[in-house]
Amino acid sequence: MITFNQKTRIFHLSTSQMSYVMQVLPSGHLTHLYWGDELKDAALDYLITEIKRASYVADTDGIKEFKLERLPIEYPAYGNSDLRKPAFVLEHADGSNISDFRYVDFEIQPKLLKPNNLPSLVDEKGETLIITLIDNVKQLKMQQYYGLNHQTAALVRFVTIENIGIESIQISELSSACVQIDNTNQQLLHFSGGWAREMQFQQSELTQNGQIIESLRGQSSHEHQPFIALADSQFNENYGEIRAMSLIYSGDFRASVTMEMHDALRMQIGLNPAQFSWRLEAGEKFETPAALLVYAKNGLHEMGQIFRTSHQRFLVRGNHQWQERPILINSWEAFYFDLEEARLLDFAKESADLGIELFVLDDGWFGRRDNASSSLGDWQVNLRKFPNGLGSFSQKIKAMGLKFGLWVEPEMISPDSLLYQQHPEWVLGTPGRQHSLSRDQWVLDLTNPDVCDYLVETFMTIFKEAGVDYVKWDFNRSLTEIGSQFLPKFRQRETAHRYILGLYDVVERLTSAFPDVLFENCAGGGGRFDAGLTYYMPQTWTSDDTDAIERLSIQEGTSMLYPSASMGCHVSASPNHQNGRLTSLKTRGIVAMQGNFGYELDILALTIEEKEIIRQQIKFYKQIRQTIQFGELYRLKTAQRENAKAWLYVSADFQEVVVSYVQILSRANTPSKRLCLTGIDSDCYYQIAGTDVIRRGDELMQIGLAINDVKHDFFAQTWYLIRQSENKKRN
Ligand code: DGJ
């Protein structure tokens, strides 16, 4: 519910799990009073008057002791007596950076609103508070949007600025959200990493230095997830308050937390000002990407549950949202660029025989692409590899009972391509400057609508002709020396953001033209595993690291924010191609069954015994698929802190439970091990599928399941538990 008390001028946004409270001061400044567990009334008008901080700074509006720097300002401006980090900076025609927005009015809309041209949660049952503020001196209108999703207790924030004056301005910085939080012993949480090492969960102490989590790569990046959180320093899986923000965006971002001299914390997230500014002409409006704010009262599990549910239920859209995802085989780690129709058909036939449902033709099928050095942009099938064309190949695949999937990397262009000869001006960059190659490729200028139209037309044709059921949309380099030959010089610093707007336009048009096609997002693995692209493509290739053991922490981090039905996880060869590690097929299978399951190895080269293991894995995954993809996740052991990882999924109807355990290194003289469960019903009985064993839920939680083997590195075990009907108990 959203309420406004006319007398105290207090806004109260509440769900059964959370309250967010703001107050408009007599001066028109909007202050932040509270964000935490639900308050029934939130009559917090005493709060501001009780602030007793000494302050060294100046008075505001000529009122003695009215000091902005003492106050929890909701969305602080640059250019007044609050000298802490501002949430936005505008540059006016007279060269000044001073802004002063005061409250004008508000409205409440009976649905969750989103920015017009950017992704965000969609919820017809939500509510949105829109607060309007005006800078009278410069005739600028700011609107703060607070969307409330009652079902998950998540809050969606974004900001618009409208130029209602006659002079243009330059937006130098405009956060999507900012909150002030008292420093009651908080820790910073975030996810960092690199290529093939994405989403490593991090926690660190706060200091008065301030901390920044950001991407300047033109993509949300492998390096940092657009996410930041403050947690009670005692937090764990089920304890401690956490306040988190993520940005529903796929480009450069900056999240920061600053601690001011009186210890209060300001946490913000938004576009990265280091690679952004925007000319706003008279009459124009600018909207920021949306930020998702999550408050969890009881630790990491609750936080993860709110993010996963918000993403799966309110961000993912389309026909595939709740559809079970097919088990796939991908040609990449099996053959790389060395594609040949006859061999691929044998490979597909063997796959179909083992129970695989989708065949994915990865990189190497087009142009003269025998390695990464050419042909991006020349999206014609290579007739040497596929003599009868892609349509004919796809039909043969489908005749085997498989679906057909295709890899593409539309945003890229190779210097060695016909497209580059025709359109050198379509390359992103600045004339006269170096255009750095990465993986021998450049990026197309998606700020240019002609390029976007060309991509939509080209890929419409390819998808139609090839009869695709699935598309893997890849993106294999960061943006460097960012500039556009299409944009005028005063808009060059808009390039990175306009690029993402162009990308969203292209993928919106293509995904809505092919509603039955399953799109998988990829950027050299998880380089753009973000909420922005999750709005368009319901699943993402989690990482190029397919090693089962390294995948433990990558999948663990990813699954803290994203639903399992969004994570691509494949069984690949051993020794692993990325790190040479040897693991059993069983362990690789159990780890890959944490998400959308698939294979990425040459099954033609496997032994009969190995193929039989694969056949059984596929049979088992089909039984547990609904529970894994759409059930609730509980983490039992975390790879980062323990020498093992274990997790559990409970089906939406609570009838089925899948438990998985992976030991990392074995140790000599290890005692017997057990694994205690959580998230199940303590009063119910569960049968371990494939056995006669029936155990009561309380025993499974307190005493646990026995681990079969303590003596082998990378040993893995999985259990499938079926809840027994009320009267069926233990023999
Ligand atoms: C990077 C992807 O993450 C891989 O899975 C594969 O598709 C290659 N690109 C192909 O170039």
Side-chain angles (χ1 to χ4, degrees), residues 332 362-363 407 439 472 474 476 522 524-525 541 544:
W332 181 242
D362 209 282
D363 199 352
W407 175 97
R439 212 191 189 216
K472 178 176 173 187
D474 207 349
N476 280 304
C522 173
W541 176 227
D544 272 352

Side-chain angles (χ1 to χ4, degrees), residues 104-167:
V104 177
D105 58 17
F106 76 96
E107 64 176 295
I108 297 170
Q109 293 273 347
K111 69 185 246 188
L112 200 65
L113 296 180
K114 68 180 269 304
N116 289 323
N117 297 312
L118 286 156
S120 185
L121 271 53
V122 176
D123 174 19
E124 291 298 325
K125 295 192 184 126
E127 273 179 289
T128 305
L129 166 68
I130 308 158
I131 299 180
T132 302
L133 304 108
I134 297 256
D135 183 329
N136 270 323
V137 176
K138 292 295 173 190
Q139 286 300 293
L140 295 167
K141 177 167 154 187
M142 173 187 282
Q143 293 196 297
Q144 294 282 340
Y145 287 74
Y146 297 85
L148 202 51
N149 180 318
H150 294 282
Q151 294 166 77
T152 61
L155 192 63
V156 176
R157 284 183 61 178
F158 60 96
V159 182
T160 61
I161 298 255
E162 190 178 345
N163 188 344
I164 51 175
I166 49 166
E167 291 175 320

Side-chain angles (χ1 to χ4, degrees), residues 569-611:
C569 308
H570 301 170
V571 172
S572 63
S574 175
N576 179 268
H577 291 192
Q578 286 78 40
N579 65 9
R581 182 177 279 123
L582 289 160
T583 49
S584 71
L585 193 48
K586 180 178 172 204
T587 297
R588 281 175 275 152
I590 288 175
V591 174
M593 284 187 208
Q594 204 195 343
N596 297 327
F597 188 55
Y599 291 85
E600 188 153 343
L601 77 176
D602 184 2
I603 46 169
L604 295 174
L606 299 181
T607 62
I608 293 175
E609 293 72 31
E610 286 171 321
K611 284 183 199 162

Side-chain angles (χ1 to χ4, degrees), residues 14-252:
S14 65
T15 70
S16 56
Q17 287 153 269
M18 188 270 298
S19 278
Y20 191 98
V21 188
M22 293 170 284
Q23 183 175 27
V24 182
L25 300 186
S27 60
H29 289 99
L30 186 64
T31 52
H32 177 84
L33 300 187
Y34 176 83
W35 181 27
D37 197 9
E38 189 204 7
L39 299 175
K40 288 286 176 224
D41 195 3
L44 305 182
D45 49 321
Y46 51 86
L47 257 185
I48 295 290
T49 60
E50 288 179 0
I51 292 174
K52 293 287 181 287
R53 257 175 220 159
S55 175
Y56 170 73
V57 293
D59 298 330
T60 296
D61 290 354
I63 304 170
K64 199 134 186 66
E65 290 306 305
F66 178 51
K67 295 175 189 291
L68 288 187
E69 190 156 339
R70 277 184 193 167
L71 301 175
I73 299 295
E74 175 68 7
Y75 192 77
Y78 176 79
N80 57 37
S81 60
D82 178 359
L83 299 177
R84 299 167 294 180
K85 188 175 179 322
F88 67 102
V89 182
L90 307 178
E91 192 182 320
H92 306 288
D94 60 8
S96 106
N97 284 133
I98 297 169
S99 291
D100 189 359
F101 284 84
R102 307 284 175 118
Y103 172 81
V104 177
D105 58 17
F106 76 96
E107 64 176 295
I108 297 170
Q109 293 273 347
K111 69 185 246 188
L112 200 65
L113 296 180
K114 68 180 269 304
N116 289 323
N117 297 312
L118 286 156
S120 185
L121 271 53
V122 176
D123 174 19
E124 291 298 325
K125 295 192 184 126
E127 273 179 289
T128 305
L129 166 68
I130 308 158
I131 299 180
T132 302
L133 304 108
I134 297 256
D135 183 329
N136 270 323
V137 176
K138 292 295 173 190
Q139 286 300 293
L140 295 167
K141 177 167 154 187
M142 173 187 282
Q143 293 196 297
Q144 294 282 340
Y145 287 74
Y146 297 85
L148 202 51
N149 180 318
H150 294 282
Q151 294 166 77
T152 61
L155 192 63
V156 176
R157 284 183 61 178
F158 60 96
V159 182
T160 61
I161 298 255
E162 190 178 345
N163 188 344
I164 51 175
I166 49 166
E167 291 175 320
S168 63
I169 63 155
Q170 199 69 27
I171 302 172
S172 311
E173 184 169 352
L174 194 64
S175 292
S176 296
C178 171
V179 284
Q180 184 158 324
I181 293 165
D182 286 340
N183 185 10
T184 45
N185 211 0
Q186 302 281 307
Q187 290 231 335
L188 174 68
L189 310 184
H190 60 109
F191 297 90
S192 297
W195 173 76
R197 220 178 337 105
E198 301 88 338
M199 290 297 282
Q200 307 294 318
F201 178 65
Q202 313 285 343
Q203 63 186 89
S204 55
E205 301 298 326
L206 292 169
T207 66
Q208 210 178 324
N209 289 340
Q211 270 142 311
I212 287 178
I213 318 293
E214 67 179 348
S215 168
L216 281 166
R217 296 175 175 274
Q219 59 183 124
S220 48
S221 88
H222 302 90
E223 209 177 354
H224 296 290
Q225 173 69 202
F227 166 94
I228 189 166
L230 290 169
D232 178 324
S233 62
Q234 303 297 313
F235 82 96
N236 63 30
E237 199 62 11
N238 296 303
Y239 174 81
E241 286 189 299
I242 304 179
R243 293 171 182 85
M245 286 177 170
S246 73
L247 196 66
I248 307 176
Y249 189 64
S250 309
D252 297 329

